[in-house]
Amino acid sequence: KAGVTQTPRYLIKTRGQQVTLSCSPISGHRSVSWYQQTPGQGLQFLFEYFSETQRNKGNFPGRFSGRQFSNSRSEMNVSTLELGDSALYLCASRNPGGPLETQYFGPGTRLLVL
Amino acid sequence: LAKTTQPISMDSYEGQEVNITCSHNNIATNDYITWYQQFPSQGPRFIIQGYKTKVTNEVASLFIPADRKSSTLSLPRVSLSDTAVYYCLVGALGTDKLIFGTGTRLQVFP
């Protein structure tokens, strides 16, 4: 079974631009969560989508948004990029209610904002 | 929200047992404790999860005392390939109450 895939793997943007990151979950997984990882703040939860609806949201500004499609693929968008948005963005998928309640992470998209 | 703290780094030698502790004083009743391993340029990989007492799988054991304010990941007989960063995660999946620890960088020497 293929794992979680994220595209692109690397991205360079400039301040003020916007960016869209994509995540394809493990087949059959209906929940996709997004995380931001930085050296200073560590791993922080952004939001979770399930059945095309945002279920939970972490403490991030409204510039960070996402959506989920009917095939469970998810996109994350960051508008008006700031230097501090440079980070590794990870998505994780899971199948709520499964025998092992855990999530599987993709390799991440490394975003550099100049 | 549970704040989680871990040692920044640990060193070990091949074949030794390594114990990494995570402190989470404000853990909530419905929070689980999950440990992940992360290699450079990869996403975290699930190691083990528990709620209380002891859990063991083929790669690790997880010890959680009765008050659940801490947890200890035990890696038996580490090898060079266990060199990685280890994170504890406290919270319940499906909620917004997910707190990762600061991560422990484990270096295994030959």
Side-chain angles (χ1 to χ4, degrees):
Chain A
K1 189 184 269 191
V4 178
T5 58
Q6 293 186 244
T7 56
R9 292 294 310 278
Y10 303 92
L11 205 50
I12 300 176
K13 292 286 188 179
T14 56
R15 279 182 300 173
Q17 286 186 309
Q18 74 163 17
V19 67
T20 299
L21 312 180
S22 180
C23 172
S24 292
I26 291 173
S27 177
H29 286 193
R30 297 162 61 195
S31 166
V32 173
S33 296
W34 289 89
Y35 296 83
Q36 181 195 64
Q37 185 173 27
T38 61
Q41 299 298 318
L43 275 156
Q44 297 185 88
F45 171 73
L46 278 157
F47 32 65
E48 179 187 18
Y49 283 85
F50 177 77
S51 293
E52 304 177 59
T53 302
Q54 187 180 89
R55 282 182 69 167
N56 299 289
K57 190 177 190 304
N59 190 25
F60 278 82
R63 299 185 298 107
F64 292 82
S65 63
R67 60 177 175 168
Q68 187 180 33
F69 302 93
S70 59
N71 61 358
S72 295
R73 189 177 69 84
S74 176
E75 289 182 346
M76 190 192 95
N77 185 274
V78 187
S79 62
T80 319
L81 284 166
E82 301 176 359
L83 296 179
D85 296 333
S86 293
L88 180 66
Y89 289 90
L90 294 157
C91 83
S93 76
R94 68 188 180 104
N95 197 20
L100 182 62
E101 187 63 75
T102 188
Q103 53 188 344
Y104 299 86
F105 284 84
T109 294
R110 187 165 297 281
L111 172 65
L112 177 62
V113 182
L114 301 175
Chain B
L1 294 179
K3 180 179 178 181
T4 59
T5 55
Q6 303 175 230
I8 293 175
S9 63
M10 296 182 70
D11 292 335
S12 183
Y13 291 95
E14 281 192 295
Q16 290 189 329
E17 178 185 74
V18 171
N19 296 309
I20 306 174
T21 297
C22 179
S23 296
H24 28 80
N25 291 323
N26 298 322
I27 189 167
T29 303
N30 61 343
D31 286 346
Y32 281 75
I33 300 154
T34 311
W35 284 82
Y36 292 89
Q37 175 193 57
Q38 187 177 28
F39 297 110
S41 301
Q42 294 186 26
R45 185 171 72 103
F46 173 83
I47 301 174
I48 197 167
Q49 182 183 72
Y51 183 80
K52 62 180 178 180
T53 63
K54 176 183 175 182
V55 179
T56 298
N57 63 21
E58 62 275 11
V59 298
S61 294
L62 177 59
F63 300 92
I64 305 170
D67 65 6
R68 303 199 329 122
K69 293 185 176 182
S70 67
S71 58
T72 299
L73 172 71
S74 181
L75 303 173
R77 298 179 297 282
V78 294
S79 65
L80 296 176
S81 63
D82 293 319
T83 293
V85 180
Y86 293 82
Y87 292 94
C88 64
L89 169 63
V90 177
L93 291 177
T95 73
D96 57 359
K97 308 294 190 289
L98 294 169
I99 305 297
F100 273 95
T102 48
T104 299
R105 186 173 300 276
L106 172 65
Q107 179 68 54
V108 180
F109 295 96

